């Protein structure tokens, strides 16, 4: 059924075409969230203001159009998808405001949870909810799902730390609970609604049996159904309304801002891992730990430990554990080290009488701490990584009363065996009796769906009826548990939820079939296929954790969406459906605008680098092998041609002036069909040829300087305050540090192969890489001398796929950190410096090293929030400048107090300078400026 013409016409007047999507590629891409359901919206709208949401809801009410709200789409239970109108948050929902010295924080729904905590970190505060997806999920989703996490428990979730809320109801009316004028207006316009809510509260509190059930249910971690505790916890109807919105999953209204009471973020912490011989003793220990000063207690059954025992870095004892072992990962935090030590002694004394199979004592050592938490964090992706292609990973989320936890775990294990989920594992937040169980499931045949249905019927009966637990502890009801809400709550509570739904959404337009549904089979419908696409990405579980670091997200597709579309193309082709139009759209949306820098792999639970798929697809269209072969053999000539081009461009700039040249370049680019690059004032001048002298007998230690091809071709821009070439500046700094600088032979013909690899010419790329390695072996005297590469992407390219172990290769950060810090005296400048940590620096593990070095150079370091990849991506900044512009759209505001920025990649610096309005140059310029040689080495 198509959308009404009158509705579409009104929407077109309200939302610009650049923020309206109804084409097959976009609707499929946005029809996917982290759950195992899929609905394809008819229309996707990216909203940028509260006024737009108000008018859209008014239109939806008039035309009876169902709408669903989407923040990050990391929801696991199917609550962020729609087959009607999907409303997605744009960029302008990122406001945050500290209140009362950090005791409170006001946040808009587009703020990523980790960003909120970054604002609070200097004050040693944080928001209460701490979901595992906190680096990707947004405040809107955290509140709407009442998400919690490992340390949050029930006391620190959104419901219990809510200080205020601004919301929009289905009729478009706005209420700000912290604004007296807004409250007065709402009382005037919605007095009857408020009185009805107050009356529901009075009736519920008077119903002693129902009130007791509600109190019991929320003694547990519970997100099944609507937040009925609001009716017994509060008497004022405004308080009832705002707390009903928490956990409502977009079914009662839109949350446009929330104010949290923040909680302490104690700086001192330690973790221990205690392995018990069986589930019974492990769970009994949990009941003891419940009263101890612990911040987290994570349970891992033997299956979950077995899932990670063969992973790299896992201690050998994990594999040697007995068949029935069950572990607790325990963390304690405190405001001081002395208090922490007292707490640790108290905790261990409390469980000293339990039998223990293996114990890793409490440690604050970051290495030990990270290894212990890696065991816990790797369990979920471990199941995803080994699943059969075509199946999905399902993570269910239940709560048992903690005193019955052991029985609950054993009964769940029995259900796994009965239904042959042999790969299933259990882990969870044991203090709250909250267990996650993970298993793999196919939905391709009726038999597979029937198996899942039978299993879930038994799980829901076990948890909700036999144990009086909750079917959804923290992942939200969604459509996954909507058919079982009445089973868990009983008829009275269930009908009360429907009464609230009808009261706040009388036309049923807000996220239908989520939380409450009249369809008892809704959890078995719209199941998402995960067809084979390519072995490089088949393990993708579509969680969306990759999206915040993708420079193309919001311009075209995110890594998750690239995989979704490629899966669909492959599935359609296998059944003979014509995918020509979809592939044509995908060429730009999925391939041309992918930076392919691989940051997505760092956030992916199963380490998928979507850039690898994109490079593979580019190789299919790499039809200029002859040209690539010529370039490999005549690289110096190509480099000389690049210098000539840059000289010509600079000559045109001198003749026409920068503004006229920029305008003329824009016109020429448009006339060429965007094939010609866009000239900007940040465009480099041609680098002067480096003067290389033969090595001499010299008592100084030698360093081989590998100047990247971009450094050899591209000098500073005409407007840069630093006009000394990177080559000369680097050589000068190395010599200041007491090194003799030597260069590989035939330097202008050398290349790491990155330009070829990014275009899909893998054979030529590997040829150039090997040629360079051979030259470096010779120049370094068989690996005797360290090698300094002045560009981090080239360093990464050489280190990938394994480098000759004799070579000691350093990027600028590593070399300065390991070889120059002890040879130089730093006098930090007062002026602030912006830092861009390149993708390659992050992959090399040198991000913190870069920040530490810059901290020695300046009294004020600025790292722009939310810019993980600049999107320049080698030459994408020239050929696809909109990617660079989109990735850096917030940069200028973020660095306005700075006069310069530093990085470790010349091409990245071009785009950064252009979009920031300040000069970005290599780290070595800053280090050289603030250092002097130490008198004695």
């Amino acid at each position: 059924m198509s959308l009404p013409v009158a509705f579409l016409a009104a929407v077109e007047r309200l939302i610009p075409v650049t923020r309206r999507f109804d084409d097959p590629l976009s609707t499929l891409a946005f029809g996917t969230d982290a759950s195992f359901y899929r609905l394809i919206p008819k229309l996707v709208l990216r909203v940028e203001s509260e006024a737009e949401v108000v008018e859209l809801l008014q239109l939806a009410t008039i035309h009876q159009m169902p709408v669903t709200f989407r923040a990050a789409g990391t929801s696991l239970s199917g609550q962020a998808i729609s087959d009607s109108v999907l409303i997605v948050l744009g960029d302008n929902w990122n406001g945050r405001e500290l209140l009362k010295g950090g005791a409170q924080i006001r946040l808009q729904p587009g703020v990523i949870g980790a960003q909120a905590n970054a604002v609070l970190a200097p004050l040693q505060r944080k928001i209460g909810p701490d979901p595992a997806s906190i680096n990707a999920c947004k405040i809107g989703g955290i509140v709407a799902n009442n998400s919690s996490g490992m340390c949050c428990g029930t006391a620190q979730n959104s419901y219990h730390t809510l200080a205020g809320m601004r919301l929009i109801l289905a009729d478009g009316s706005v209420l700000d609970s912290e604004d007296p004028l807004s409250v007065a207006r709402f009382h005037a316009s919605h007095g009857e609604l408020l009185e009805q809510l107050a009356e529901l509260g009075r009736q519920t509190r008077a119903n002693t049996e129902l009130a007791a059930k509600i109190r019991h249910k929320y003694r547990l971690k519970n997100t099944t159904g609507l937040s009925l505790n609001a009716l017994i916890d509060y008497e004022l109807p405004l308080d009832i309304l705002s707390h009903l919105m928490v956990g409502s999953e977009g079914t009662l209204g839109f949350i446009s801002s929330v104010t949290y009471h923040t909680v302490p973020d104690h700086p001192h912490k330690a973790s221990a891992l205690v392995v018990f011989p069986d589930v019974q003793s492990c769970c009994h220990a949990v009941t003891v730990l419940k009263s101890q000063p612990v911040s987290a207690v994570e349970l891992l059954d033997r299956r979950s430990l077995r899932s990670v025992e063969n992973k790299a870095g896992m201690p050998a004892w994990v594999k040697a554990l007995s068949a029935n072992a069950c572990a607790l990962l325990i963390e304690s935090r405190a405001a001081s080290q002395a208090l922490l030590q007292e707490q640790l002694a108290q905790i261990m004394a409390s469980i000293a009488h339990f039998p223990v199979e293996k114990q890793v004592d409490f440690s604050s050592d970051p290495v030990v701490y990270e290894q212990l938490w890696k065991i816990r964090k790797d369990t979920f992706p471990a199941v995803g990584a080994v699943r059969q292609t075509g199946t999905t990973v399902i993570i269910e989320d239940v709560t048992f009363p903690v005193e019955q936890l052991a029985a609950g775990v054993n009964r769940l294990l029995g259900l796994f065996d009965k239904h042959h989920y042999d790969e299933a594992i259990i882990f969870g937040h044991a203090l709250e009796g909250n267990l996650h169980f993970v298993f793999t499931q196919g939905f391709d045949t009726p038999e597979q769906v029937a198996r899942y249905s039978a299993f879930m019927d038994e799980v829901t009966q076990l948890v909700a009826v036999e144990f009086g637990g909750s079917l959804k502890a923290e992942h939200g009801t969604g459509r996954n548990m909507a058919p079982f809400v009445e089973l868990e709550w009983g008829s009275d509570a269930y009908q009360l939820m429907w009464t609230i739904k009808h009261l706040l959404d009388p036309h049923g337009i807000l996220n239908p079939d989520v939380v409450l549904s009249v369809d008892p089979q809704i959890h078995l419908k719209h199941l998402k296929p995960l067809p084979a696409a390519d072995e490089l990405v088949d393990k993708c579980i579509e969680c969306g954790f990759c999206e915040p670091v993708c420079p193309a997200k919001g311009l075209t597709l995110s890594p998750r969406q690239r995989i979704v579309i490629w899966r669909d193309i492959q599935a359609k082709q296998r059944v003979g459906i014509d995918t020509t139009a979809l592939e044509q759209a995908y060429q730009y949306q999925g391939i041309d605008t992918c930076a392919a820098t691989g940051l997505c792999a760092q956030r992916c639970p199963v380490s998928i680098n979507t850039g690898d798929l994109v490079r593979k697809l580019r190789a299919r269209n790499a039809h200029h092998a002859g040209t690539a072969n010529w370039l490999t053999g005549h690289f110096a000539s190509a480099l000389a041609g690049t210098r000539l081009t840059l000289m010509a461009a600079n000559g045109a700039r001198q003749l026409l002036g920068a503004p006229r040249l920029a305008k003329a370049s824009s016109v020429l680019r448009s006339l060429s069909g965007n094939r010609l690059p866009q000239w900007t004032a940040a465009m480099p001048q041609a680098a002067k040829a480096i003067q290389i002298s033969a090595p001499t007998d010299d008592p100084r230690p030698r360093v081989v300087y590998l100047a990247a091809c971009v450094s050899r071709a591209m000098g500073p821009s005409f407007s840069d305050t630093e006009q000394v070439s990177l080559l000369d500046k680097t050589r000068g700094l190395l010599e200041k540090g007491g090194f003799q600088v030597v260069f590989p032979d035939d330097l202008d013909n050398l290349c790491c192969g990155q330009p070829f690899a990014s275009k899909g010419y893998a054979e030529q790329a590997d040829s150039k890489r090997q040629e360079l390695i051979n030259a470096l072996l010779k120049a370094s005297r068989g690996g005797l001398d360290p090698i300094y590469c002045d560009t981090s992407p080239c360093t990464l390219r050489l280190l990938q796929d394994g480098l000759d172990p004799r070579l000691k290769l350093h990027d600028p950060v590593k070399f300065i950190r390991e070889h120059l810090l002890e040879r130089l005296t730093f006098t930090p400048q007062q002026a602030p410096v912006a830092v861009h940590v390149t993708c390659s620096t992050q992959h090399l593990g040198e991000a913190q090293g870069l920040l530490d070095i810059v901290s020695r150079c300046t009294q004020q370091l600025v790292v722009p929030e939310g810019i993980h990849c600049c999107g320049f991506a080698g030459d994408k900044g020239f050929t696809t400048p909109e990617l660079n512009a989109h990735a850096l759209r917030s940069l200028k505001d973020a660095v306005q107090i700075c006069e310069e920025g530093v990085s470790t990649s010349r091409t990245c610096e071009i785009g950064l300078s252009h979009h920031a309005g300040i000069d970005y140059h290599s780290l070595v310029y800053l280090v050289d400026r603030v250092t002097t040689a130490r008198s004695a080495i």
Side-chain angles (χ1 to χ4, degrees):
M1 189 175 103
S2 59
L3 301 180
V5 173
F7 173 78
L8 289 174
V11 168
E12 288 172 7
R13 290 191 293 270
L14 177 64
I15 306 295
V17 66
T18 53
R19 293 194 275 117
R20 298 195 314 266
F21 310 93
D22 60 1
D23 60 285
L25 181 144
S26 297
T27 53
L28 173 59
F30 282 107
T32 296
D33 69 356
S35 73
F36 52 97
Y37 298 97
R38 172 173 292 152
L39 290 172
I40 309 300
K42 295 180 177 65
L43 180 65
V44 180
L45 301 172
R46 183 178 291 137
V47 294
E48 295 289 4
S49 72
E50 189 179 80
E52 289 179 348
V53 176
V54 167
E55 193 161 345
L56 283 172
L57 288 178
Q58 290 171 343
L59 288 171
T61 298
I62 293 169
H63 295 280
Q64 300 291 285
M65 292 308 308
V67 298
T68 296
F69 308 117
R70 164 81 68 87
T74 57
S75 304
L76 293 165
S77 302
Q79 54 265 66
I81 54 176
S82 170
D83 59 0
S84 180
V85 179
L86 186 65
I87 298 176
V88 180
L89 295 179
D91 286 342
N92 294 336
W93 297 92
N94 207 31
R96 72 291 304 268
E97 181 184 1
L98 289 172
L99 305 171
K100 300 182 180 180
Q104 293 182 348
I105 187 169
R106 182 176 293 131
L107 300 163
Q108 286 188 298
V111 177
I112 291 173
Q115 292 174 343
N117 283 339
V119 173
L120 291 163
L123 304 171
Q124 293 189 5
R125 308 289 294 179
K126 63 179 181 177
I127 62 172
D130 62 336
S133 58
I134 197 164
N135 290 318
C137 65
K138 296 180 178 180
I139 293 298
I142 290 174
V143 180
N145 290 293
N146 199 19
S147 306
S148 45
M150 285 184 271
C151 300
C152 172
T154 54
Q156 295 183 351
N157 61 20
S158 292
Y159 181 93
H160 286 293
T161 57
L162 182 69
M165 181 183 289
R166 187 173 173 91
L167 57 92
I168 308 173
L169 294 183
D171 62 3
S173 56
V174 179
L175 167 64
D176 187 336
S177 68
E178 297 177 281
D179 179 356
L181 181 58
S182 175
V183 169
R185 287 173 177 166
F186 195 81
H187 270 285
S189 62
H190 289 73
E192 183 180 349
L193 168 66
L194 293 174
E195 177 50 37
Q196 288 174 300
L197 286 174
E199 178 59 24
L200 285 178
R202 288 189 289 269
Q203 292 174 4
T204 305
R205 293 189 295 275
N207 185 333
T208 55
E209 184 179 348
L210 178 58
K213 172 173 272 192
I214 292 172
R215 290 189 182 96
H216 164 73
K217 299 296 290 183
Y218 288 103
R219 178 176 67 88
L220 309 174
K221 256 191 181 183
N222 183 12
T223 59
T224 308
L226 298 176
S227 298
L228 294 184
N229 44 343
L231 296 171
I232 61 171
D233 291 343
Y234 299 96
E235 295 184 7
L236 294 177
L238 284 177
D239 290 334
I240 293 174
L241 176 57
S242 59
H243 285 81
L244 280 171
M245 294 292 291
V246 178
S248 63
E249 302 175 29
T251 64
L252 302 181
F254 177 87
I255 300 167
S256 61
S257 80
V258 63
T259 301
Y260 278 119
H261 294 295
T262 62
V263 301
D265 185 16
H266 295 310
H268 301 281
K269 61 185 178 182
S271 289
L273 192 134
V274 182
V275 183
F276 300 85
D278 52 53
V279 169
Q280 200 78 13
S281 55
C282 182
C283 292
H284 286 167
V286 173
T287 61
V288 173
L289 290 169
K290 182 82 172 168
S291 61
Q292 297 301 311
V294 291
S295 58
V297 176
E298 293 292 296
L299 181 147
L300 299 104
D301 77 332
R302 185 64 184 99
R303 292 170 178 239
S304 63
L305 293 167
R306 192 175 295 119
S307 73
V308 298
E309 64 185 19
N310 293 315
K311 291 180 72 70
M314 287 294 158
W317 57 259
V318 176
K319 197 168 187 175
L321 294 173
S322 65
N324 296 316
C326 192
L328 294 179
L329 177 57
I330 308 167
E331 180 172 299
S332 184
R333 298 187 179 195
S336 69
Q337 190 64 37
L339 180 58
L340 177 64
Q341 293 306 315
E342 288 181 20
Q343 291 179 181
L344 301 184
Q346 179 181 334
I347 293 165
M348 293 311 296
S350 73
I351 58 172
H353 61 287
F354 284 95
V356 171
E357 182 173 323
K358 174 70 181 179
Q359 180 171 309
V360 179
D361 292 334
F362 273 108
S363 175
S364 297
D365 182 337
V367 176
V368 177
Y369 180 90
E370 290 299 326
Q371 186 181 56
L372 292 181
W373 280 97
K374 181 175 172 59
I375 295 173
R376 161 64 175 84
K377 292 175 181 177
D378 279 356
T379 51
F380 174 43
V383 175
V386 299
R387 78 181 195 278
Q388 183 179 347
T389 298
T391 63
T392 189
V393 178
I394 296 178
I395 177 168
E396 285 297 350
D397 168 46
V398 300
T399 304
F400 292 104
V402 70
E403 60 274 12
Q404 297 176 282
L405 185 59
V409 170
N410 283 321
R411 291 288 300 278
L412 276 178
L413 292 172
L415 288 181
F416 294 158
D417 292 338
K418 177 179 178 180
H419 293 276
H420 306 293
Y421 288 107
D422 301 325
E423 78 294 341
I425 65 172
I426 295 177
F427 58 87
H429 317 318
L431 284 180
E432 308 298 332
N434 175 199
L435 298 178
H436 300 314
F437 55 96
V438 181
F439 58 100
T440 64
Q441 174 70 53
F443 293 119
D444 295 330
T445 66
E447 291 77 16
Q448 290 174 326
V449 175
R451 175 196 183 205
Y452 171 73
S453 177
F455 174 65
M456 289 309 298
D457 284 346
E458 291 203 48
V459 166
T460 54
Q461 187 71 27
L462 172 71
V463 175
V465 179
E466 289 191 44
F467 283 86
S470 62
L471 295 172
K472 283 294 180 182
E474 57 183 7
H475 293 170
T477 309
R479 58 190 66 240
N480 184 19
M481 285 297 168
F484 303 103
V485 174
E486 185 172 11
L487 176 72
E488 176 173 332
W489 276 97
S491 179
D492 287 351
Y494 184 63
Q495 292 306 317
L496 179 56
M497 291 180 193
W498 273 112
T499 299
I500 294 167
K501 170 69 172 175
H502 294 319
L503 186 60
L504 295 174
D505 180 22
H507 300 289
I509 62 170
L510 299 181
N511 216 358
D513 282 325
V514 167
V515 180
L516 302 172
S517 177
V518 296
D519 185 347
Q521 299 293 305
I522 194 67
H523 66 304
L524 303 177
K525 296 178 179 178
H526 314 298
L527 299 168
K528 180 169 65 180
L530 286 176
D534 189 285
E535 61 183 8
L536 292 171
V537 297
D538 281 341
K539 298 304 180 187
C540 174
I541 55 179
E542 298 184 2
C543 63
F545 285 13
C546 57
E547 294 189 333
V549 297
C550 177
K553 182 182 181 292
L555 173 70
T556 52
L557 299 177
S558 70
R560 166 167 65 175
Q561 293 171 329
R562 284 186 171 88
I563 294 171
V564 166
I565 302 300
W566 191 245
R567 277 176 165 160
D568 188 64
I569 289 172
Q570 296 304 295
K572 282 182 166 67
Q573 288 180 348
R574 279 194 288 271
V575 295
I577 298 175
D578 184 5
T579 61
T580 302
L582 192 56
E583 287 187 85
Q584 288 174 345
Y586 190 71
Q587 181 63 43
Y588 177 77
Q589 299 273 342
I591 299 175
D592 293 348
T593 51
C594 178
T597 53
L599 282 191
C600 46
Q602 293 191 353
R603 295 292 186 94
C604 176
V606 290
S607 302
I608 292 170
N609 183 342
T610 313
D612 289 340
L613 172 65
V614 170
R615 279 186 288 272
K616 184 174 181 178
L617 298 181
R618 286 174 182 165
R620 293 184 175 188
N621 297 319
H623 302 312
H624 302 285
T627 303
N629 287 330
W630 183 89
L631 286 171
T632 60
H634 301 83
F635 200 77
S637 298
L639 209 62
T642 302
R643 292 193 190 103
L644 283 173
T645 301
L646 292 173
M647 288 175 63
N650 196 48
R653 191 266 309 169
Q654 292 172 327
L655 180 65
L656 298 174
R660 287 182 179 175
L661 179 57
K663 186 174 181 179
S665 172
S666 179
V667 171
L668 290 172
R669 174 171 169 77
S670 178
L671 291 174
S672 72
N674 292 336
R675 285 188 290 272
L676 291 176
Q678 171 72 50
W679 186 92
T680 72
M683 190 73 75
Q685 301 174 98
K688 297 177 182 177
I690 190 169
Q691 300 300 313
I692 299 176
S693 54
T696 60
D697 289 336
D698 195 314
R700 295 176 297 174
R702 290 189 3 157
V703 58
V704 176
Y705 178 9
L706 170 58
C709 56
V710 291
S711 307
R712 305 195 303 267
M714 299 178 181
S717 71
F718 81 93
S719 61
D720 198 330
T721 54
E722 297 279 6
Q723 285 297 306
V724 178
S725 73
L726 176 60
L727 300 170
D728 289 335
K729 183 64 68 173
T730 301
R731 179 159 54 179
L733 178 63
L734 294 172
E735 290 175 344
K736 182 195 294 186
F739 286 91
Q740 179 191 9
V741 181
V742 299
F743 295 89
D745 293 339
D746 197 20
L747 182 60
D748 263 1
N749 265 317
L750 299 179
C751 173
C752 69
Q754 183 65 33
F756 299 92
S758 65
K759 297 292 184 296
Y761 295 99
E763 182 181 341
Q764 293 82 355
D766 291 342
S767 172
K768 293 303 290 183
R769 179 178 181 272
Q770 189 57 52
E771 180 185 15
L772 176 55
I773 289 172
N774 294 338
L776 292 175
L777 279 168
K778 179 182 177 183
S780 65
R781 299 180 293 182
L784 182 64
D785 305 315
I787 301 163
Y788 175 99
C789 179
D790 63 12
T791 302
S792 55
C794 299
T795 312
L796 179 64
R797 163 70 186 166
L798 288 171
L799 289 170
Q800 285 173 329
D801 301 324
L803 185 65
D804 190 304
R806 291 173 290 175
L807 294 177
K808 299 185 285 287
L809 182 65
H810 304 69
D811 77 321
V813 177
K814 185 179 181 183
F815 193 88
I816 293 171
R817 182 171 56 79
E818 292 187 352
H819 295 287
L820 291 184
L821 291 184
E822 62 186 18
R823 295 168 173 265
L824 300 172
T825 298
F826 286 74
T827 305
Q829 65 181 40
Q830 290 187 347
V833 175
V835 181
H836 177 69
V837 184
T838 66
C839 305
S840 47
T841 301
Q842 296 176 61
H843 285 306
L844 290 167
E846 293 292 345
Q848 190 57 51
L850 173 59
L851 299 179
D852 291 344
I853 291 169
V854 178
S855 293
R856 290 173 176 254
C857 299
T858 176
Q859 295 178 6
Q860 188 172 359
L861 177 153
V862 176
V863 182
E865 179 189 282
I867 296 176
H868 304 276
C869 171
C870 71
F872 206 93
D875 65 351
K876 284 290 179 189
F878 300 129
T879 61
T880 317
E882 63 271 25
L883 175 61
N884 184 227
H886 180 76
L888 300 181
R889 61 195 182 280
S890 63
L891 179 61
K892 192 167 188 175
D893 289 341
V895 300
Q896 56 185 334
I897 67 169
C898 304
E899 294 182 359
E900 70 171 330
V902 297
S903 181
T904 55
S905 168
R906 182 67 189 96
T907 50
C908 294
E909 291 150 18
I910 297 169
L912 290 162
S913 298
H914 175 54
H915 293 289
I918 62 173
D919 295 331
Y920 273 79
H921 31 250
S922 173
L923 171 67
V924 300
Y925 288 91
L926 177 64
V927 173
D928 183 62
R929 186 191 316 136
V930 303
T931 59
T932 56
R934 291 190 179 177
S935 55
I937 302 299

